Amino acid sequence: MSTLPQETSTLVNMAVSQINAGIVILDEHSNIVLWNRFMEIHSGIKSSEAVGNSLFELFPETAGSGIEKKIKSVFLLKNLAFTSWEYRPYLFKFPNPRSVMGGEKYMLQDCTFSPMTDESGKVTHICLSVFDATNTASFQQKLLRTSASLIKQRNKLSALNRKLEEAQNQLLQSEKMAAIGQLAAGVAHEINNPIGYVNSNVSSLEGYISEMLKLLSAYEECDSLLDHNHELAQPLKQAKNDVDLEYLKEDLTDLISESKEGLVRVKRIVQDLKDFSHVDECEWQATDIHQGIDSTINVVNNEIKYKAEVVKNYAELPLVTCLSSQINQVIMNLLINAAHAIEEHGIITITTGTEENGIWLEIEDTGSGIPEEKIGRIFEPFFTTKPVGSGTGLGLSLSYNIIQKHKGKISVESELGKGTKFHIWLPIDAGITHDLDTGASTIQAKTN
Amino acid sequence: MIKLNEKFNEDRRDALQEVVNIAMGQAGDSMAKLFDTFVELSIPKFHVSNIDQLRESLAGKEEYREKMTVLRQPFSGELEGEGITLFNTSGTHELATLMGYEGEITLNNEREMILDVCSILVGACLNGIASQLDMSVSYTAPSVVVANTGIADFFTAGSTNWSYALVMEIRLTLEQHSFSSNMLLFLAEDSFEPLIQRLDILLDEL
Ligand SMILES: Nc1ncnc2c1ncn2[C@@H]1O[C@H](COP(=O)(O)OP(=O)(O)O)[C@@H](O)[C@H]1O
Ligand SMILES: [Mg+2]
């Protein structure tokens, strides 16, 4: 500054004093050498009081927060150091001069530490400039708040959108289900008739064949009588050999029993389809769930007795208003699935209990479990992992719909290799609220 | 590119490498004094590169694939460009004591701290180069560009306003502290002419 002409030097001093920013000059011990008017006004500390004091003694709150290192780095590296209101709202705790209008309590500041060098290039002092960033900051914060609320609104909107999509999907799904239901009911009905007479014919056939075989055996007893009549015996023996009578007898029985098995399967599928389309609807009535479980076990005992031991842990249960045949249907599905999941021999545990105006029952098996990527799909109609012929993939979807209709909940837990547990909760009096709104669907189902 | 390679011919490259080596030595010394610990600065190799080449070369390097916080320190004057500093923020707590922070470290403290390291690193390296070449350089406040992203994502077309730049990669390691950081120093095309002039003066003086 000594090289400046007198007049310019005065002007520079004036500028330092008048500039609308804080200017502080520090020496290498962080002692204040210059304290401009801006600093005087906002700190309330006169230049005469500030000069000669250490920055950290005058403003102890600035110590121990990295400022020393900033100053040291400027001295050592001749670089610039900064503080920004975003990360450090202020270096000096000055009241916000606009606080009359509300807003920030303190002046937000951007500060820069710059090196001042002598002729040899050595840093002798630091010029600390303090800029009032309150306006920019509050503007930016307002912007941030606005964009945050915009984001919130957008999220709300997209959530709504998602819900709408879901609702639409559900609508589509239920329409699809209704169509499938109608189709199923039609198919079931159409198949039922021919299956009926094929079934009775096969039964008759079985009877006739066993009679015929009896008769044939009786004839064979007489074979020895022909021994001396070579002319008669020879062609008979030839004919017997030609048709391979022994094989024929064996195969006939096999064929009949296989056909019967096939018919049972067809009947099961037809029954599933019928159940699925609610062809056999019954009345809402107070039901003893345990009785329902027991009779269902009896019905399916053939399917499970070789596979699993059934363990019952029954609690005391109130009567539950439900469509009992449908609840039985659900239990049956779960039991059969459990038996299917058990490879060699296992345990099926049925546990019941009460909870929150309702009852729950759990059917747990020690079977193969359900892999994670499949568990989300098991309630889908036609989802099955079983070979063609043994699974329709309708059991669980039907069960799900039935439980939904009862305003209940069905959930599943499974561990691969350990087993699977289905949990069902039913309200005690779903029928009361259901009488009205299922009336329509009952009638519709019956006309199917 | 061909023209650029001509501009940065072997003599000039050697001269620049020499300048950079000296600058790194000085920067390492001063930073060691600042942090009271041994500081290692890798000797940078520089290359002229466009943004696609740069992204490709960065994407190919293991150390740039982690998620990092990216800071930028712009500089202007006769040397113009940007220093991009990359931090793996998991090591930043180590820095607190080094940077003279006492007490609990908030996210804001952490940010200011890495901003400080960014401007120290850029300033120390660049000042050394500038003073040897007698070129002026001044700085504006550094800023956080992105937190926790891969660097290659950051250099997408349109994210910078230069087509070619002189790029130097410098790695800072603090001994006995698990802290390290990578810096990419970009000299913008506009600085090429003045830089070459100064290098030629330097070469003439030899
Ligand atoms: N207890 C269980 N253990 C293992 N997997 C099961 C169990 N219950 C159901 N699943 C799986 O869910 C699928 C769908 O079951 P379901 O709807 O009853 O149809 P289906 O029994 O005709 O295959 C089954 O194919 C099977 O993969
Ligand atoms: Mg099933």
Side-chain angles (χ1 to χ4, degrees), chain A residues 221-263:
Chain A
E221 304 264 302
C222 306
D223 271 1
S224 55
L225 296 178
L226 294 174
D227 274 356
H228 57 277
N229 192 338
H230 188 75
E231 256 166 68
L232 266 176
Q234 189 51 39
L236 201 60
K237 214 171 178 184
Q238 184 65 39
K240 245 176 156 180
N241 275 342
D242 282 353
V243 297
D244 198 350
L245 187 62
E246 282 316 304
Y247 171 76
L248 215 133
K249 278 187 194 163
E250 225 179 270
D251 205 34
L252 259 179
T253 341
D254 283 356
L255 287 181
I256 291 291
S257 75
E258 265 173 41
S259 301
K260 279 175 77 184
E261 248 177 66
L263 283 171

Side-chain angles (χ1 to χ4, degrees), chain A residues 145-412:
Chain A
R145 271 196 296 274
T146 313
S147 79
S149 86
L150 276 176
I151 287 172
K152 216 161 124 192
Q153 269 172 18
R154 193 199 54 198
N155 288 347
K156 240 193 228 161
L157 267 177
S158 49
L160 259 167
N161 241 344
R162 239 190 342 268
K163 263 193 203 152
L164 213 72
E165 249 166 54
E166 259 166 39
Q168 200 181 14
N169 277 343
Q170 256 167 26
L171 220 69
L172 269 176
Q173 190 67 20
S174 61
E175 247 169 67
K176 213 158 76 186
M177 295 307 290
I180 292 173
Q182 254 164 17
L183 193 74
V187 170
H189 184 75
E190 289 302 318
I191 295 179
N192 234 2
N193 266 339
I195 279 300
Y197 62 73
V198 169
N199 201 33
S200 77
N201 290 357
V202 168
S203 291
S204 311
L205 217 60
E206 191 183 27
Y208 297 165
I209 281 172
S210 86
E211 309 265 282
M212 294 267 280
L213 288 179
K214 256 190 232 154
L215 185 63
L216 199 59
S217 306
Y219 275 127
E220 277 178 318
E221 304 264 302
C222 306
D223 271 1
S224 55
L225 296 178
L226 294 174
D227 274 356
H228 57 277
N229 192 338
H230 188 75
E231 256 166 68
L232 266 176
Q234 189 51 39
L236 201 60
K237 214 171 178 184
Q238 184 65 39
K240 245 176 156 180
N241 275 342
D242 282 353
V243 297
D244 198 350
L245 187 62
E246 282 316 304
Y247 171 76
L248 215 133
K249 278 187 194 163
E250 225 179 270
D251 205 34
L252 259 179
T253 341
D254 283 356
L255 287 181
I256 291 291
S257 75
E258 265 173 41
S259 301
K260 279 175 77 184
E261 248 177 66
L263 283 171
V264 170
R265 263 194 228 164
V266 174
K267 269 160 104 187
R268 156 94 57 74
I269 294 171
V270 170
Q271 191 56 45
D272 268 2
L273 286 172
K274 267 173 148 185
D275 293 337
F276 185 71
S277 54
H278 307 303
V279 176
D280 306 326
E281 204 91 27
C282 67
E283 301 271 299
W284 289 88
Q285 51 190 265
T287 306
D288 178 352
I289 293 289
H290 289 150
Q291 208 178 354
I293 298 175
D294 290 342
S295 64
T296 307
I297 292 176
N298 285 338
V299 172
V300 294
N301 204 24
N302 254 339
E303 308 245 357
I304 48 181
K305 67 181 173 204
Y306 302 111
K307 279 299 196 64
E309 181 193 340
V310 177
V311 176
K312 301 177 198 170
N313 292 324
Y314 288 172
E316 210 157 289
L317 292 190
L319 294 182
V320 175
T321 309
C322 65
L323 297 166
S324 60
S325 76
Q326 293 198 359
I327 295 300
N328 291 348
Q329 183 70 42
V330 173
I331 293 164
M332 183 170 98
N333 281 329
L334 297 183
L335 287 174
I336 291 177
N337 280 349
H340 281 168
I342 292 168
E343 233 158 85
E344 302 264 308
H345 201 269
I347 300 168
I348 299 176
T349 313
I350 305 173
T351 314
T352 61
T354 52
E355 187 191 308
E356 282 183 40
N357 287 329
I359 63 106
W360 55 264
L361 65 107
E362 268 173 11
I363 296 184
E364 186 174 7
D365 63 63
T366 55
S368 57
I370 305 170
E372 219 175 280
E373 70 273 12
K374 299 224 168 93
I375 205 157
R377 301 196 51 199
I378 59 171
F379 292 107
E380 277 178 24
F382 302 113
F383 177 80
T384 180
T385 56
K386 294 169 192 172
V388 180
S390 67
T392 57
L394 290 175
L396 284 180
S397 113
L398 170 68
S399 305
Y400 185 84
N401 285 343
I402 291 173
I403 300 300
Q404 283 279 77
K405 194 158 149 189
H406 284 77
K407 298 237 157 98
K409 285 175 217 142
I410 179 166
S411 59
V412 60

Side-chain angles (χ1 to χ4, degrees), chain B residues 11 19-20 33 36 45 80 84 86 89 101 107 113 115 154 170 175 179 189:
Chain B
D11 282 350
V19 167
V20 169
K33 275 185 207 143
D36 279 324
K45 293 258 180 299
E80 197 179 314
I84 304 285
L86 309 161
T89 36
Y101 281 84
L107 182 68
M113 217 153 66
L115 285 168
F154 168 61
I170 300 160
E175 184 125 299
F179 178 81
E189 242 176 317

